[in-house]
Amino acid sequence: MTGAEAGTGTGTGRNSITGGTQGTVVQAGHIEHLVVQQAPPPADEVTVAPPWGLRGAPLRGRAELLARLLAASGTHVLYGLGGVGKTSLALEVADALARDGAPVWWVAAQDAGRLSGGLRAIARRLGLGEDELAAGQTADLLWERLAALPGPWLLVLDNADDLALLDGPGALAAGTGLVRAPSAAGLVLVTTRDGDPASWGTGPVLHPLGALPGPDGARVLTDRAGADAGAAPDAAALSRRLGGLPLALDSAGRYLASVAERPAFLRTPGEPATYAAYLAALGAGDVTVDGDGTLARIWAMSLRLLRDRGHTHADALLRLLAGFADAPVPLRVFAPGRVDIPPGELWACLQALDRLGLASLSGDGEPVVSLHPLVRDAHRTGRERLSAALARETGEPEELGPLWPLLEPHLLDGLAPGTPAEVWEAAVLAVRSLAARGLLSGAGDAARTVRAGTARDLTADHPVARLARLQDGRTLTALGEAGRALDVLTPLAGECAGALGAEDPFTLEVRHERAIALQMAGDYDASRAENAAVLRARLRLLGPDHWKSLHTRHNLAMDLALLGRTREALAELEAVLDGEGRTLGREHYDTLTTRENRAIMLRVLGDTDAALAELTTVAEARHRLLGPDHPDTLTARFNVATLLPADRARVEMAAVLDARVRVLGPDHPVTRATAEAVARTLPE
């Protein structure tokens, strides 16, 4: 930015530059101060006083780290994303030590002129003469004087983002640069974006400064906007959307404060005045937290730093990451062949983004990278397609592989008009994954979205459009809405039979799901007839041991059970279990279902000991494999409870009822049946 006058800022305060300055504004805001690249000032005009005027509202969320720094000595580095509050924390440390009488010096370290001028000014204050400074040993002489100081002191080097400047006459990592290990009484505090351990060496202690968690971010908003802007949960929700970034929280809070202080008749219609309204407007694009471009300039500087260090793919990778949903991205999507960045360079670039706080690498089992939500907003130019390709290679969602929960949000993100068929197909896989994990409400919402989207973007006879309708019907059945499921599946079965043939594999899949809906609706004769027809076709086409044949045979056995033919049902289930045990394994999802229903038949026939033992084993396996709140785990717990003594049964059924209300909702047929069962266990 050049010219006679320029300004950046948020809220009621505004920084300005006047005169004939030239250079680039690289950072501004109330959390971290304005920095201007320009010609270094004369030595006698350099200030080393802390910028107390930048202190504002109370510091939030840093109490533990603040206490550690106040008790520390040596060199400590605060690093993280621009706007995360590094300068604010350093000012709190400076204020506390200054109030205790310790000398405090503050050096702006964003350019060579200010850094050198500041250190020379401190050297003069410590008694070094011009002759000594002119000898070219300023760094050595300064650190000798600092080491000789008797009491506590603090030196802050703020905004030291270009670490090459800190090498000075030696090397920062070797301890011979402009930042060195102080005496036992001294504390050196450096704020920077760059937390690369290799650059700092082994001496300094590195402290990553991350985003503020929801409650602390909510308090920052309340500090700025006041209590009238809304309740704490609304402030916490807005804080999460802003990624807990103090500079963004400050901007949003000051915006709301500025709206609140105006008379109502001077407000624009629809202008957000509460946290909830601001969050909605932010999502709709009606407001921006970066109206003056401060954040964009901060992140642009970080990217320039990466480019200067040889990370030529940083911009492209950041834009690619920004195309994903606001959720962790599995690194497998960047496998060789999917992106044009060599694996070694990609990994180095991800690490560099992590060190500068633009992204975060994590993951115990499945490595992921997370992009700060505001960084994502600023760099998003389009929707990614890599997750769809990975989904097609990941296996069946019902196998509950660890990648599916990570892929779901990306597969369901940005499904706008014109989405390609292959992306819609991957979205269907995400719906299946949600359902398999027992997240039925989310699966239902996603299934409706995908079905509507495919109906809009694809022809009615497109295979993916039919697949979306099948999954919608399947999900409705799982939600206990058998009538609505039949409204979807019955016409689809007729269309597929006419277009593909009655025994086409996809037609058989639709008819199989329709039979399940008929069974849930209580039409056992119709369900039995449909299951029998599907089974005959599958036995002929797939053979008796294929899992789909076994699945349909299991459902036919349950028709027999529901029609009161328990012994026939038990014999069929035992035959199915033999096949599933051989082909799928004893703890496969389908096998556990068959084992459970076989145990129920044993209970009906009076063999309660064998039934209880098997049901207990199934419940334990489901708890281990699916988790405590999965609908199938709750079903297994309920079935065990039916065989417990009355007092224990009542307690266990009540616990299952509470969980089913939470997981399935109070109106799900299974929840209502559980409530009736609990009522029957109550004493007269």
Side-chain angles (χ1 to χ4, degrees), residues 358-384:
L358 295 170
S360 175
L361 287 168
S362 60
D364 296 329
E366 188 65 43
V368 297
V369 58
S370 301
L371 202 60
H372 189 283
L374 295 182
V375 175
R376 173 180 174 270
D377 289 349
H379 294 86
R380 194 171 206 195
T381 57
R383 189 189 185 283
E384 60 79 33

Side-chain angles (χ1 to χ4, degrees), residues 31 65 119 171 401 434 436 474-475 609:
I31 301 299
L65 180 53
L119 294 177
L434 287 166
R474 181 186 284 135
T475 307
D609 290 341

Side-chain angles (χ1 to χ4, degrees), residues 144-202:
E144 287 175 7
R145 293 296 177 100
L146 287 171
L149 292 177
W153 53 267
L154 171 66
L155 169 60
V156 177
L157 279 76
D158 191 32
N159 290 303
D161 296 323
D162 185 355
L163 299 191
L165 297 179
L166 300 185
D167 285 333
L172 173 64
T176 58
L178 296 182
V179 176
R180 304 183 185 181
S183 63
L187 174 62
V188 178
L189 199 56
V190 186
T191 73
T192 178
R193 288 172 173 78
D194 196 338
D196 186 354
S199 298
W200 286 99
T202 59

Side-chain angles (χ1 to χ4, degrees), residues 623-634:
H623 186 282
R624 173 166 37 84
L625 297 171
L626 302 177
D629 283 342
H630 193 284
D632 292 339
T633 304
L634 298 176

Side-chain angles (χ1 to χ4, degrees), residues 16 29 136 246-247 262 270 286 302 313 316 346 348 367 392 398 412 418 440 444 511 550 563 617 637 659 674:
S16 64
L247 183 56
R262 272 184 276 142
D286 295 334
S302 295
H313 297 286
L346 184 139
R392 290 192 292 272
E398 290 76 16
L412 295 170
L440 298 182
R511 294 175 65 189
L550 293 168
L563 288 167
T617 300
R637 285 181 62 188
T674 308

Side-chain angles (χ1 to χ4, degrees), residues 8 22 72 101 114 138 150 191 270 286 364 411 454 482 510 533 562 614 620 640 652 655 675 680:
T8 64
Q22 290 186 330
R114 292 177 185 273
T138 303
T191 73
D286 295 334
D364 296 329
L411 298 176
T454 54
V510 177
L562 292 166
E614 181 72 332
E620 291 171 349
V640 170
E652 180 67 359
R680 289 194 296 271

